Amino acid sequence: MTTLFLCSPHRTLTPLSFSPLSKSLQLPPPRCQMQTQALIEAQSTASTSESERGVEFTTGDLFYRRESATARDLAVLSASVSQRHLGRGLRVLDAMCGCAVRSVRYLSQGGADFVWANDAFEGCRPRILANLSSAVPRFSRDVRRWVITHFHANRLFTECYLQKEFFDLVDIDSFGGDTSFLRSALCVVKIGGLLYLTSTDGRSSGGHRPSRSLASYGAYVRPMPFSNEIGLRMLIGGAMREASALGYHVSPVFSYYSYHGPVFRVMLQLGKGKDDDISQYGFIGYCNKCGHSQTFSWDELGQISCPCGSKKVVVSGPLWTGPLHNAENVGEMLELAREWGWAYTNSKNDDLDKLLNLMIDECDPLLPPGYIKVDEIARRAKVNSPPVSTLIHALQAEGYAASRSHVEPNAIKTNCPMASCINFVLKIRT
């Protein structure tokens, strides 16, 4: 068994016995260092440079999606807000780091004192090493700032748990709908820490593979017109189930849907103890006859029907049915984005001020899950679609809760029944 010098960012180097990972984490001998440095310089020269919020990095042949920059912005803002609350630097585990752009941004902008960058593909190593080395020195005053490994995420989480290595933020930028790592990932998040999850399983969220969504997330999902929001609730619900099995609970800090992919991302905060209140973990129904949607508790199973009288209601669940975001957290993220000059841009797809304000509006506890497309209301009313803002103001004037949806631009979230929404549209158009 070899000895590894691995430390938290708040203590000097202390030898730890870490046999399975030690060979990859040991410092290389001088000759190897020289060879590695030469490889870094060669690959950096041959690479196209990228930039996000002033952070420079290279990608080479590795997968990189510019459209995901907003998701990384949100993660960095959330991490920095957490760092300010804690009053100390964060320990971050980037479990599927790719070219390590997220690792670099956590170190440079997110208040991280230490980042563990891991990717199962060993071919990523020169690129990860080049990007991290360019951003932050490996050591600062005898304290290690970052480390690189190449292991399957489940193995890494298990090894970290056995060695009592816990983190303030665990970022898992996974592809597809694999959730086999969820439970082991929760085990290495500190109490009060953050877990950033990603899913690109649009077929499951769309209700096209209910057996797959049941196996992965514990939810039997059927086709619904607001399937992209269902994808976020499915992911939160799956994490809730795993956390409860471990004696913990999770709550969403923010949820973010991006059309490319599609991609579903949720930032969750881990709490100690099971949450026995399951009022926000239930079922969502949709009536194809009248277009009305509503939530159902576990006690209401077997008594499901629609106010229009139809009993042919499509039901999905169990899912998270509470707010998708924490208003206080998102408000602090918005203040920080403005402070850093990130809030406003010239691009409609990169306006954090608009996005974060939409998320705050969506936090209204009176708003039920799902959204209604304005075109669908107009189709049922047999009139042209009114402006979204006009409909929202009309609903609010009558005492209903209503807001736009960050998931679907031409849709509203409201507690107004579909039949009443149709009447409002008719009044607006007459």
Side-chain angles (χ1 to χ4, degrees):
M1 183 176 290
T2 55
T3 299
L4 161 70
F5 288 90
L6 178 66
C7 65
S8 78
H10 304 292
R11 60 178 185 264
T12 56
L13 292 174
T14 305
L16 293 177
S17 176
F18 208 31
S19 177
L21 302 183
S22 58
K23 290 183 180 180
S24 293
L25 294 178
Q26 281 183 307
L27 293 176
R31 182 180 178 184
C32 182
Q33 285 180 334
M34 294 173 62
Q35 293 172 339
T36 301
Q37 184 61 35
L39 185 57
I40 290 172
E41 293 175 358
Q43 293 219 10
S44 296
T45 303
S47 301
T48 303
S49 295
E50 300 284 351
S51 178
E52 283 188 12
R53 301 295 185 185
V55 173
E56 302 290 336
F57 58 97
T58 59
T59 59
D61 296 330
L62 301 180
F63 178 80
Y64 168 69
R65 182 172 273 165
R66 292 182 182 86
E67 295 88 344
S68 296
T70 299
R72 290 185 283 270
D73 287 344
L74 295 174
V76 169
L77 288 170
S78 185
S80 188
V81 167
S82 179
Q83 183 267 331
R84 292 187 177 191
H85 281 293
L86 291 173
R88 59 168 177 79
L90 304 180
R91 286 174 53 82
V92 176
L93 174 57
D94 189 358
M96 300 178 185
C97 68
C99 66
V101 56
R102 291 185 307 284
S103 297
V104 170
R105 294 193 62 183
Y106 283 132
L107 285 166
S108 302
Q109 302 168 327
D113 276 358
F114 173 75
V115 169
W116 190 317
N118 178 79
D119 196 280
F121 177 48
E122 292 191 30
C124 295
R125 189 174 189 85
R127 187 70 51 210
I128 298 170
L129 196 54
N131 289 330
L132 287 173
S133 298
S134 299
V136 178
R138 188 185 302 217
F139 288 92
S140 177
R141 297 180 181 179
D142 294 331
V143 175
R144 196 164 198 165
R145 298 296 309 280
W146 48 267
V147 70
I148 303 170
T149 54
H150 303 285
F151 292 94
H152 186 279
N154 259 328
R155 178 182 175 185
L156 178 62
F157 295 143
T158 302
E159 295 287 359
C160 286
Y161 175 74
L162 292 174
Q163 293 297 324
K164 298 183 179 180
E165 290 286 340
F166 302 107
F167 300 87
D168 300 293
L169 193 159
V170 175
D171 186 322
I172 309 174
D173 189 25
S174 58
F175 179 81
D178 181 16
T179 58
S180 60
F181 49 76
L182 256 180
R183 188 171 299 192
S184 58
L186 286 163
C187 289
V188 298
V189 180
K190 292 182 179 180
I191 301 299
L194 303 174
L195 176 63
Y196 198 27
L197 297 176
T198 301
S199 169
T200 60
D201 192 0
R203 288 189 58 79
S204 290
S205 66
H208 305 297
R209 295 191 297 187
S211 58
R212 173 68 178 271
S213 64
L214 182 63
S216 297
Y217 306 97
Y220 195 82
V221 175
R222 305 285 302 282
M224 292 183 170
F226 41 86
S227 61
N228 290 330
E229 185 176 310
I230 291 292
L232 296 172
R233 297 185 178 280
M234 181 178 71
L235 187 53
I236 297 170
M240 287 183 64
R241 180 185 66 163
E242 297 297 335
S244 179
L246 294 170
Y248 304 123
H249 67 272
V250 294
S251 57
V253 175
F254 69 82
S255 308
Y256 175 59
Y257 166 77
S258 184
Y259 67 91
H260 65 273
V263 186
F264 310 93
R265 302 181 194 270
V266 296
M267 182 71 83
L268 305 173
Q269 185 169 35
L270 183 69
K272 188 175 182 179
K274 293 182 180 180
D275 188 354
D276 294 328
D277 181 11
I278 59 172
S279 60
Q280 295 181 322
Y281 183 61
F283 301 83
I284 301 174
Y286 176 77
C287 178
N288 284 302
K289 180 180 179 181
C290 72
H292 179 68
S293 62
Q294 60 187 317
T295 59
F296 299 97
S297 67
W298 294 82
D299 293 338
E300 294 174 302
L301 293 179
Q303 308 170 28
I304 293 175
S305 64
C306 181
C308 74
S310 173
K311 292 186 178 181
K312 295 181 179 180
V313 179
V314 176
V315 179
S316 295
L319 304 159
W320 170 254
T321 59
L324 292 173
H325 329 280
N326 181 292
E328 183 177 350
N329 286 108
V330 176
E332 291 182 84
M333 290 166 62
L334 177 58
E335 290 179 9
L336 190 57
R338 291 171 175 171
E339 178 185 324
W340 288 354
W342 290 9
Y344 303 98
T345 66
N346 295 324
S347 171
K348 292 182 179 180
N349 297 325
D350 194 26
D351 190 340
L352 282 178
D353 190 89
K354 179 180 179 180
L355 173 61
L356 291 168
N357 272 303
L358 275 178
M359 289 180 172
I360 292 172
D361 291 343
E362 288 179 319
C363 291
D364 188 337
L366 295 177
L367 293 175
Y371 50 77
I372 307 173
K373 295 180 181 179
V374 176
D375 290 345
E376 173 63 15
I377 304 174
R379 185 187 68 81
R380 290 177 180 273
K382 298 181 180 180
V383 297
N384 293 329
S385 299
V388 177
S389 57
T390 301
L391 180 56
I392 289 175
H393 292 152
L395 291 169
Q396 291 175 339
E398 292 296 322
Y400 289 106
S403 79
R404 288 179 178 268
S405 166
H406 90 271
V407 177
E408 176 61 49
N410 192 39
I412 61 170
K413 292 178 67 64
T414 181
N415 59 350
C416 179
M418 173 62 88
S420 298
C421 285
I422 292 173
N423 290 333
F424 278 110
V425 169
L426 289 173
K427 288 179 182 179
I428 292 171
R429 284 305 182 189
T430 56

